[in-house]
Amino acid sequence: LFAEAGVQTNGNKRNQVLKIGHGGTLDSAATGVLVVGIGKGTKMLGTMLAGSKKYTAIGVLGKATDTLDATGKVTEEKPYDQVTKGDLENVLQKFTGDIMQVPPLYSALKKDGERLSTLMKRGEAVEAKPARPVRVYSLSLQQFQPPLFTLDVECGGGFYVRSLVNDIGKELSTCATVQELTRTKQGPFTLEEHALHEDKWTIDEIAQSLERCTALLLGEPARKKLKTEHPGETAVIC
């Protein structure tokens, strides 16, 4: 791993530091792609992950929670029998393109240096952040079996799928929350092609994964610049 990350060792690996960083948090109940930078690759995360993200979300109509997902306490329940597939598809058009979105109270956003979610769990009063511009490249309904519905979302940075599902529920004159959320793509990395599943978290499998992911960096301006600044070193993101 030291060699793949371009870290020179002095023979005493116990005293060797290997920097590791991730390219953006996932909701605590979410699964899917989480890109990790190793060694000099940590400096490339911002550039490499500037592209869109994709998610598959299963929402449930008629129920709202304080966290906007299944981990929270139910705060509201409303009828949803009046909602049709056509209604839902029509509403999705309102949430495509450049829109304004209010982030969830339970989030990684910070107030006075602490995450809002941490403050909420301590029982402290937290005001909602103001609505901010976000971008939705595509939004489609994949399945509708009331009260459940499945969405495919491609969005830009700073977007919260939990807020999207909550807003969709309100637009349909009911309420809705996220039951399951999976990130299927982050930047050039996809769940199907590049994710390393937990049963393969071994040194050999991780090293092979680094080799495959390094191929994505070939030709990237950020990689060329990094190699110029640090001769003989390699950057790895996986």
Side-chain angles (χ1 to χ4, degrees):
L1 288 178
F2 286 124
E4 289 290 344
V7 177
Q8 297 179 354
T9 60
N10 56 13
N12 185 1
K13 293 185 179 180
R14 290 185 178 181
N15 297 325
Q16 187 67 53
V17 176
L18 183 61
K19 292 183 179 180
I20 299 177
H22 63 78
T25 58
L26 271 171
D27 287 349
S28 59
T31 60
V33 178
L34 177 64
V35 180
V36 176
I38 300 177
K40 299 301 180 181
T42 56
K43 296 184 177 181
M44 298 176 62
L45 287 169
T47 302
M48 285 296 300
L49 303 181
S52 64
K53 304 175 184 179
K54 288 184 178 181
Y55 296 88
T56 296
I58 299 177
V60 55
L61 293 169
K63 183 183 296 185
T65 68
D66 54 0
T67 60
L68 309 188
D69 65 14
T71 66
K73 296 179 181 178
V74 176
T75 58
E76 187 178 21
E77 292 186 84
K78 285 187 174 182
Y80 59 85
D81 295 343
Q82 75 280 6
V83 177
T84 67
K85 182 179 180 181
D87 292 335
L88 187 49
E89 289 175 331
N90 289 335
V91 162
L92 297 187
Q93 298 178 22
K94 298 182 179 180
F95 295 97
T96 304
D98 294 322
I99 63 173
M100 299 297 290
Q101 184 186 73
V102 177
L105 287 177
Y106 280 88
S107 69
L109 298 178
K110 293 184 178 181
K111 176 186 177 183
D112 299 328
E114 286 195 85
R115 291 185 175 188
L116 296 184
S117 57
T118 301
L119 298 175
M120 291 288 291
K121 290 175 182 178
R122 285 210 302 259
E124 298 186 23
V126 176
E127 292 185 4
K129 293 285 186 179
R132 57 185 186 175
V134 292
R135 177 167 294 179
V136 180
Y137 295 101
S138 65
L139 176 59
S140 60
L141 178 64
Q142 298 301 308
Q143 194 169 9
F144 183 64
Q145 293 181 327
L148 302 179
F149 60 96
T150 303
L151 303 175
D152 274 352
V153 186
E154 182 173 7
C155 58
F159 184 85
Y160 282 90
V161 178
R162 285 181 291 139
S163 289
L164 168 69
V165 171
N166 180 67
D167 291 341
I168 287 173
K170 292 178 180 178
E171 194 69 27
L172 291 168
S173 299
T174 180
C175 51
T177 192
V178 171
Q179 179 166 292
E180 294 181 21
L181 180 61
T182 304
R183 184 192 285 163
T184 58
K185 174 183 177 292
Q186 186 178 17
F189 301 95
T190 67
L191 181 61
E192 183 177 350
E193 296 180 81
H194 306 112
L196 191 63
H197 296 279
E198 187 173 357
D199 59 349
K200 294 185 178 180
W201 288 358
T202 65
I203 294 297
D204 288 341
E205 291 284 357
I206 292 173
Q208 291 176 21
S209 176
L210 296 182
E211 292 179 0
R212 292 193 297 271
C213 290
T214 299
L216 291 176
L217 308 183
L218 298 177
E220 289 288 339
R223 177 179 171 82
K224 293 179 179 178
K225 181 180 179 181
L226 193 63
K227 291 183 72 174
T228 300
E229 293 175 350
H230 303 279
E233 293 183 334
T234 304
V236 175
I237 294 178
C238 65

